[in-house]
């Protein structure tokens, strides 16, 4: 295979011509549209076997159904495959357990694969994340070559023109290095470089949304006047899908962006206008460095400091596309790529319709527990503290389950609100996520969903919800809620909080907070039971 950086023209068999069947991302007028299974598949190109890493994340979780929609088969590599279980497409893909830092698992995942999508990064995992990204990319490239993969597709970050690599933010510098590693491998690579991605649930969108909605008057850092070229997530997905069919001689980067080159200031004002908010007063000041402003962003928005910092640092320099060569291989459709206002309108509509399929928080928070729920009291040094609550409920199990599955986010935690608020503030103070992440969907949960400072570890519809704590703790914690019936057929609510301490500090933490459990956990159990009974009575009255 010849590898070069030229602008190769697509051949006569290029599958992305006028006859290509549109996918879900192509619809400009139906923001809630999902692809309908069973439609005729695209016959203009061969069906490919695709490996998707990062399928539990924001982009990967949306890419999988798009690949399926055009007739490709998909294998998803995930450290925790169970997090993919509740996705609508879960039964249509092959899921394998593995880690991009584990060469053996990557080698196994690459078997019989045509196109490998690299959609993972170590953002927010600590000061050594560049080394982690470098090693993971090296392993991925080596195993792709060994497995006979025909193409690697990578989504990276758009870098500023004329700026030395060493002066870039660590985030952009690492993204650029990963792209170079993949391009230097024996396997032809497509490296897509995007700036700000606008889509419901993306970190960039959430940061823009909450900054604008919560602050009618903003004292902002100077980077709000930096020019950037945002792109809608639907266009990103279209380019990712189309990249699978590129000719084998193409091995290069492509800048991808929407038609608008604007400033972050323009984006905030544009959001206010589209969301029908009063005009925001924005006063840029030079003293707020990217580091300081990342703390400010972390305070105001749901995006934690560990993610807000690389995002804001990346805004120091102008990030504007220098070419649009991707159109030679993935031709533009009428009205595409979307402009900023259109992409933002679609994202807002998805949020308002509660149809956000993935969010930036879909991926596990770095450093969050990943071990299975302990069932042996000897686990973790012989200590597993438990707080159990059990109540009979004057409602059906179905009514009780509706309350359990609806917990968190705007619905609250059915407990002493101040206690939960204080715990959230303390977690944010030490760099945790606090109670800012809310819920993906107001009524339905699935394995892997973030839920304030918890994550859904297990869900058995109608019966069990198990949450794993992602707040900063000296140990591992879970909260379990069950709806079942006793021997007499009465509805029973069972609640269990578990804590596996880490070291002496972990033991001290449990004993220091245990006096408040009767208020927090006891109140939660009583209020959930009462809410279920009230909901049952309301339904009967209606």
């Amino acid at each position: 295979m010849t590898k070069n950086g030229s602008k190769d023209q697509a051949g006569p068999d290029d599958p992305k011509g006028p006859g290509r069947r549109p996918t879900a991302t192509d619809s400009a007028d139906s923001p809630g549209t999902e692809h309908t299974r069973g439609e005729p598949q695209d016959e203009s190109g061969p069906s490919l076997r695709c490996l998707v890493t990062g399928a539990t994340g924001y982009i990967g979780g949306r890419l999988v159904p798009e690949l399926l929609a055009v007739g490709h088969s998909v294998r998803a590599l995930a450290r925790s495959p169970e997090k993919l279980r509740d996705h609508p497409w879960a039964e249509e893909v092959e899921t394998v357990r593995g880690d991009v830092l584990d060469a053996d698992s990557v080698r196994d995942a690459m078997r019989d694969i045509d196109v490998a999508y690299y959609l993972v990064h170590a953002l927010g995992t600590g000061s050594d994340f560049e080394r982690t990204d470098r090693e993971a990319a090296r392993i991925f490239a080596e195993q792709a070559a060994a497995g006979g993969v025909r193409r690697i597709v990578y989504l990276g970050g758009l870098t500023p023109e004329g700026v030395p690599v060493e002066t870039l933010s660590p985030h952009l510098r690492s993204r650029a290095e990963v792209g170079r590693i993949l391009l230097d491998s024996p396997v032809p690579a497509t490296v897509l470089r995007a700036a700000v991605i606008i889509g419901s649930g993306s970190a960039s969108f959430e940061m823009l949304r909450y900054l604008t909605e919560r602050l009618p008057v903003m004292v902002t850092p100077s980077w709000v006047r930096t020019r950037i070229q945002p792109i809608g997530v639907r266009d990103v997905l279209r380019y990712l899908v189309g990249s699978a069919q590129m000719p084998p001689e193409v091995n290069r980067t492509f800048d991808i962006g929407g038609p608008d080159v604007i400033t972050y200031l323009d984006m905030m004002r544009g959001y206010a206008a589209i969301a029908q908010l009063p005009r925001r007063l924005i006063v840029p000041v030079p003293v707020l460095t990217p580091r300081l402003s990342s703390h400010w962003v972390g305070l105001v928005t749901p995006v934690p400091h560990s993610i807000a910092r690389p995002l804001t640092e990346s805004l120091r320099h102008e990030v504007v596309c220098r070419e649009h060569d991707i159109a030679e291989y993935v031709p533009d459709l009428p009205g595409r790529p979307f402009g900023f206002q259109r992409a933002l309108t679609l994202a807002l509509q998805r949020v308002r319709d509660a149809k956000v399929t993935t969010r930036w928080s879909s991926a596990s928070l770095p450093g969050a527990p990943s071990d299975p729920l302990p069932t042996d009291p000897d686990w973790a040094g012989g200590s597993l503290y438990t707080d159990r609550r059990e109540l009979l409920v004057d409602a059906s199990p179905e009514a009780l389950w509706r309350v359990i599955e609806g917990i968190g986010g705007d619905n609250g935690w059915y407990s002493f609100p101040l206690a939960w608020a204080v715990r959230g503030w303390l977690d944010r103070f030490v760099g945790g996520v606090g109670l800012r992440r809310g819920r993906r969907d107001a009524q339905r949960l699935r394995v892997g969903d973030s839920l304030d400072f918890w994550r859904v570890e297990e869900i058995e519809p109608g019966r069990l919800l198990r949450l794993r704590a992602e707040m900063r703790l000296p140990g591992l914690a879970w909260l379990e809620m069950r709806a079942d019936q006793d021997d007499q057929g009465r509805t029973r609510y069972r609640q269990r909080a578990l804590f596996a301490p880490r070291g002496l500090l972990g033991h001290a933490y449990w004993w220091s907070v245990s006096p408040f459990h009767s208020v927090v956990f006891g109140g939660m159990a009583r209020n959930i039971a009462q809410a279920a009974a009230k909901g049952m009575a309301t339904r009967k009255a209606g």
Side-chain angles (χ1 to χ4, degrees):
M1 294 182 180
T2 302
K3 302 193 72 178
N4 58 61
S6 64
K7 303 177 185 179
D8 304 274
Q9 297 291 331
D13 294 328
D14 180 36
K16 295 165 287 300
R20 186 182 66 90
R21 185 176 58 80
T23 70
T25 55
D26 293 333
S27 172
D29 300 315
S30 304
T33 298
E34 297 293 340
H35 179 72
T36 302
R37 301 288 182 239
E39 293 181 10
Q41 296 302 317
D42 181 15
E43 297 180 355
S44 58
S47 175
L48 300 174
R49 294 159 297 185
C50 301
L51 173 69
V52 177
T53 61
T56 59
Y58 177 71
I59 293 293
R62 297 188 178 208
L63 175 62
V64 169
E66 296 298 327
L67 292 171
L68 294 172
V70 296
H72 300 320
S73 61
V74 176
R75 177 183 297 157
L77 174 71
R79 286 181 296 177
S80 303
E82 59 274 8
K83 290 183 179 180
L84 302 176
R85 187 189 65 195
D86 294 329
H87 285 267
W89 41 260
E91 294 184 358
E92 300 179 57
V93 306
E94 176 190 359
T95 58
V96 294
R97 186 180 302 274
D99 191 309
V100 289
L101 289 170
D102 177 7
D104 291 339
S105 66
V106 176
R107 180 172 57 251
D108 291 342
M110 291 285 187
R111 287 177 181 152
D112 302 319
I113 289 297
D114 297 312
V115 180
Y117 285 89
Y118 191 74
L119 302 174
V120 296
H121 55 82
L123 175 65
T125 58
S127 58
D128 205 24
F129 78 92
E130 289 183 83
R131 184 197 62 79
T132 302
D133 273 340
R134 184 182 308 117
E135 178 66 11
R138 183 189 62 78
I139 291 173
F140 195 82
E142 290 177 352
Q143 298 307 320
V149 172
R150 291 160 50 184
R151 177 162 298 278
I152 294 172
V153 181
Y154 169 59
L155 177 62
L158 188 60
T159 54
E161 185 176 15
V163 177
V165 174
E166 60 272 13
T167 64
L168 294 175
S169 71
H171 167 56
L172 283 182
R173 187 169 62 231
S174 180
R175 291 293 185 92
E177 182 181 23
V178 168
R180 287 195 301 273
I181 292 172
L182 298 178
L183 288 170
D184 289 342
S185 78
V187 180
T190 301
V191 175
L192 304 179
R193 307 193 308 174
V196 172
I197 296 177
I198 302 297
S200 58
S202 76
S204 297
F205 172 77
E206 294 294 305
M207 192 169 89
L208 172 67
R209 173 189 174 196
Y210 281 91
L211 282 176
T212 310
E213 288 186 353
R214 293 183 174 180
L215 297 176
V217 178
M218 287 177 272
V219 177
T220 59
S222 57
W223 51 254
V224 298
R225 296 195 183 277
T226 301
R227 292 202 318 157
I228 50 182
Q229 192 166 350
I231 183 171
V233 67
R234 299 185 185 204
D235 289 308
V236 173
L237 294 171
R238 194 168 63 89
Y239 290 140
L240 284 168
V241 172
S243 294
Q245 301 277 17
M246 284 188 176
E249 65 271 17
V250 177
N251 181 71
R252 55 165 293 186
T253 63
F254 293 92
D255 293 352
I256 58 173
D260 301 319
V261 177
I262 55 181
T263 67
Y264 207 88
L265 184 65
D266 296 329
M267 290 172 62
M268 288 191 286
R269 287 175 173 164
Y271 182 96
I274 293 172
Q276 299 182 327
L277 300 171
R279 183 177 175 84
R280 268 37 190 162
L281 178 61
I282 302 170
V283 183
V285 294
V287 295
L288 278 176
T289 65
R291 177 176 295 186
L292 288 175
S293 59
S294 68
H295 289 285
W296 167 66
V297 170
L299 180 67
V300 175
T301 79
V303 182
H305 166 69
S306 61
I307 296 177
R309 180 172 176 179
L311 289 178
T312 55
E313 284 182 337
S314 299
L315 295 171
R316 288 185 302 173
H317 304 291
E318 182 177 280
V319 279
V320 176
C321 296
R322 297 187 287 276
E323 41 84 7
H324 187 54
D325 297 345
I326 188 69
E328 298 178 17
Y329 307 99
V330 188
D332 292 335
L333 300 175
R336 304 290 290 270
F338 290 139
F340 170 72
Q341 288 194 336
R342 182 61 178 150
L344 189 59
T345 299
L346 290 170
L348 274 172
Q349 190 62 52
R350 297 285 291 210
V351 171
R352 289 167 177 165
D353 291 346
K355 293 180 179 178
V356 181
T357 54
T358 62
R359 302 179 67 209
W360 62 271
S361 54
S362 296
S364 295
L365 190 72
S370 58
D371 302 296
L373 177 69
T375 55
D376 186 346
D378 293 331
W379 187 85
S383 296
L384 181 63
Y385 294 114
T386 306
D387 180 278
R388 288 186 174 88
R389 309 281 166 173
E390 186 172 315
L391 291 172
L392 293 176
V393 183
D394 186 18
S396 66
E398 293 76 17
L400 176 57
W401 178 250
R402 281 192 292 270
V403 176
I404 292 174
E405 192 176 12
I407 201 166
D410 292 337
N411 299 327
W413 288 89
Y414 297 95
S415 186
F416 186 41
L418 181 59
W420 283 88
V422 169
R423 187 63 186 85
W425 296 335
L426 290 174
D427 193 52
R428 292 174 65 178
F429 181 75
V430 297
V433 296
L435 292 173
R436 299 170 292 178
R437 297 189 301 186
R439 297 173 54 108
R440 178 189 57 84
D441 185 290
Q443 295 178 312
R444 298 288 180 262
L445 292 174
R446 65 189 184 201
V447 170
D449 272 359
S450 61
L451 185 59
D452 293 325
F453 48 39
W454 302 90
R455 187 169 297 276
V456 179
E457 180 178 84
E458 181 60 88
I459 184 168
E460 298 176 15
R463 182 173 176 269
L464 167 69
L465 174 63
R466 181 186 300 139
L467 308 175
R468 183 190 289 270
E470 290 192 340
M471 76 264 306
R472 296 295 180 92
L473 289 170
L476 308 179
W478 296 263
L479 178 61
E480 216 176 57
M481 291 166 275
R482 294 177 182 267
D484 58 23
Q485 292 179 305
D486 64 10
D487 296 337
Q488 301 178 43
R490 297 176 298 182
T491 301
R492 179 175 58 178
Y493 173 68
R494 291 191 292 160
Q495 178 181 294
R496 190 166 65 139
L498 304 100
F499 183 70
R502 184 181 296 117
L504 183 61
L505 182 60
H507 292 274
Y509 170 81
W510 175 265
W511 290 111
S512 66
V513 298
S514 57
F516 303 101
H517 285 174
S518 61
V519 175
V520 177
F521 293 128
M524 174 187 288
R526 291 190 298 272
N527 291 334
I528 286 176
Q530 291 173 6
K534 183 178 179 181
M536 184 81 169
T538 302
R539 283 177 174 260
K540 287 182 177 179

